[in-house]
Amino acid sequence: MMDIKACIFDLDGVIVDTAKYHYLAWKRLAAEMGFDFSEAHNERLKGVSRMRSLEILLEVGNIKRTDEEMEELATKKNDWYVEYIRQLRPDEILPGVQKFLDELRMNGLKTAIGSASKNTPLILERLNLSEFFDAVIDGTKVSQAKPDPEVFLKGAEELGVNPEQCIVFEDAQAGIEAAKNGNMYCVGVGKPENLNGYDYLIAGFEGVSFKNIVNNLKK
Ligand code: B16
Ligand code: MG
């Protein structure tokens, strides 16, 4: 018998599309260093930490920087990114998400965010979503990046539920692996050609209900 007590959500790509703002900021940084950073390159940064993202960016540009210079570059990129997300509005919550969160609340399910982003509190605040999550585990609270399950296990712990009682929603392959490594159910959010290893896949939350998801999970 399945006994689901909580849903844990990745942020970027699941709740809101902040990837486009990350992209604008990384592209600007690349341009400043004299090379182009394409949208295809940006795909490689989804779900990846800020520093690892910078390493990938420098790899693309074939550029070497010292650790100290990298700290400065990452800070610069983040300052630009924060300028963008300060302008975020609740209408940028991805379609169907608000309704889904309302349904969870009505059914007494617990909710958490499990994100690599250190800007999670600001993003939730801008979207008026802070109060919809019982726990927020972000990049400031974990030492191991996805596919390590730390971020989701900490979420379950803070909610007081067992991993087997959680469904994780993830748009990145490393995040799906993190959920499965943590012994949780995982719903992939996106296209089948980009993801594998999930228990169930949705294109997004539009028209999706919690009941419908639970019925579709492999028993
Ligand atoms: P920050 P998620 C991730 O969010 C993004 O997908 C990834 O592109 C970004 O580099 C990472 O957060 C760190 O973000 O620079 O704001 O700390 O998908 O884990 O919600
Ligand atoms: Mg994501």
Side-chain angles (χ1 to χ4, degrees):
M1 243 306 264
M2 276 172 72
D3 171 32
I4 302 298
K5 291 212 158 62
C7 290
I8 307 183
F9 299 84
D10 173 58
L11 183 62
D12 173 30
V14 171
I15 302 283
V16 60
D17 178 19
T18 41
K20 59 185 176 209
Y21 301 118
H22 281 296
Y23 178 55
L24 289 173
W26 286 126
K27 198 176 168 60
R28 187 168 163 188
L29 194 69
E32 219 183 60
M33 291 188 284
F35 66 95
D36 186 47
F37 192 70
S38 71
E39 280 194 61
H41 288 136
N42 194 56
E43 282 303 306
R44 293 176 60 192
L45 308 188
K46 290 192 177 170
V48 173
S49 75
R50 193 180 307 167
M51 259 311 157
R52 181 63 198 134
S53 296
L54 177 59
E55 282 168 18
I56 295 171
L57 185 101
L58 293 177
E59 238 172 74
V60 169
N62 204 8
I63 284 176
K64 296 251 179 300
R65 290 286 185 269
T66 64
D67 287 356
E68 202 182 319
E69 287 166 338
M70 282 178 69
E71 285 295 337
E72 282 167 23
L73 289 169
T75 301
K76 192 184 242 190
K77 179 267 171 180
N78 191 58
D79 290 346
W80 289 332
Y81 174 67
V82 168
E83 270 176 42
Y84 293 123
I85 59 173
R86 275 196 203 291
Q87 316 293 321
L88 266 181
R89 296 170 58 96
D91 64 8
E92 289 183 71
I93 298 171
L94 289 171
V97 168
Q98 183 71 63
K99 196 161 170 244
F100 192 81
L101 292 172
D102 291 339
E103 186 194 359
L104 295 181
R105 171 160 288 191
M106 260 168 1
N107 287 286
L109 279 120
K110 294 197 167 151
T111 52
I113 290 283
S115 168
S117 175
K118 295 181 174 169
N119 293 298
T120 296
L122 172 63
I123 295 169
L124 293 179
E125 187 199 307
R126 294 300 309 156
L127 298 176
N128 282 344
L129 282 180
S130 309
E131 63 185 271
F132 282 88
F133 297 98
D134 304 305
V136 174
I137 311 299
D138 65 17
T140 64
K141 295 190 180 168
V142 294
S143 53
Q144 302 298 316
K146 301 167 187 177
D148 188 284
E150 184 186 11
V151 66
F152 297 135
L153 291 176
K154 281 204 166 152
E157 196 186 325
E158 221 172 277
L159 294 175
V161 300
N162 296 325
E164 316 82 70
Q165 298 172 316
C166 298
I167 305 176
V168 168
F169 294 86
E170 252 295 347
D171 72 314
Q173 186 55 36
I176 292 176
E177 285 161 27
K180 297 315 294 176
N181 287 337
N183 206 16
M184 295 175 171
Y185 288 99
C186 186
V187 173
V189 183
K191 299 196 175 115
E193 56 268 34
N194 301 333
L195 302 173
N196 55 67
Y198 45 76
D199 298 299
Y200 183 55
L201 183 75
I202 57 176
F205 284 90
E206 212 163 14
V208 171
S209 75
F210 176 69
K211 274 195 191 124
N212 160 258
I213 289 207
V214 172
N215 287 335
N216 279 293
L217 287 175
K218 292 174 212 146
K219 305 266 158 25

